[in-house]
């Protein structure tokens, strides 16, 4: 009986030890395109388990937490710059005010950090060349996007 109890206790200890390994990982890094940080967007990590974990890109930096360990495909999507509204034809007044119509104010270009257009292959799980092998704990994963 004591040997059966020891065997049972040993099995419990082994099962508990097996559960102690980390089953998730955290990654963080920089996303650059043409040598410059990507101003904003989204990174998605497609784990081999089927789970998808995302992280925002802010000023080139991103982080994704609780990603299952193992092989993963990474995609990147960037926020697009806002479209510049069309200008009215010369000499036309189009903005109403309480005193009639006023001239349309001069439109300015979107801010430089509003977004960037990257190659579309990075946005799809099927075509993204970005791969990572995740292990338990934290990892650095810098992403350099190429033409």
């Amino acid at each position: 009986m004591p040997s059966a109890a020891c065997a049972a206790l040993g099995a419990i200890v082994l099962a508990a030890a097996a559960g102690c390994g980390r089953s998730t990982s955290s990654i963080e890094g920089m996303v650059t395109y043409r040598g410059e940080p990507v101003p904003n967007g989204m990174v998605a990590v497609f784990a081999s388990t089927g789970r998808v974990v995302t992280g925002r890109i802010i000023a080139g930096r991103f982080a994704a937490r609780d990603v299952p360990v193992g092989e993963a495909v990474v995609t990147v999507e960037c926020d697009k710059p806002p479209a510049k509204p069309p200008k009215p034809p010369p000499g036309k007044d189009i903005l109403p005010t309480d005193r009639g119509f006023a001239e349309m104010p001069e439109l300015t270009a979107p801010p430089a950090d509003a977004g960037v257009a990257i190659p579309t292959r990075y946005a799809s799980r099927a075509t993204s060349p970005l791969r990572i092998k995740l292990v338990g704990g934290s990892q650095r994963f810098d992403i350099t996007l190429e033409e």
Side-chain angles (χ1 to χ4, degrees):
M1 195 66 123
S3 64
C6 287
L9 181 60
I12 291 171
V13 169
L14 284 176
C20 289
R22 294 197 147 198
S23 60
T24 62
S25 182
S26 295
I27 60 173
E28 63 181 50
M30 287 290 293
V31 181
T32 57
Y33 178 59
R34 295 182 175 162
E36 298 292 325
V38 169
N40 47 48
M42 184 75 64
V43 170
V45 183
F46 292 82
S48 59
T49 62
R51 185 164 175 221
V52 180
V53 180
T54 61
R56 286 286 304 155
I57 301 169
I58 300 172
R61 302 188 68 65
F62 81 96
R65 307 277 184 247
D66 297 322
V67 184
V69 296
E71 299 287 329
V73 176
V74 178
T75 63
V76 178
E77 292 186 61
C78 296
D79 295 345
K80 302 288 188 270
K84 188 174 179 179
K87 287 186 176 184
K92 297 291 182 184
D93 298 327
I94 64 168
L95 295 178
T97 67
D98 57 350
R99 289 184 253 158
F101 287 89
E103 288 185 29
M104 183 168 184
E106 183 63 32
L107 299 174
T108 59
D113 64 349
V116 65
I118 65 169
T120 57
R121 73 175 175 273
Y122 291 107
S124 169
R125 179 181 183 187
T127 58
S128 176
L130 304 171
R131 305 284 189 272
I132 185 172
K133 182 170 182 159
L134 296 156
V135 296
S138 296
Q139 288 179 244
R140 181 144 183 104
F141 184 61
D142 291 325
I143 300 171
T144 303
L145 304 175
E146 299 174 356
E147 293 293 326

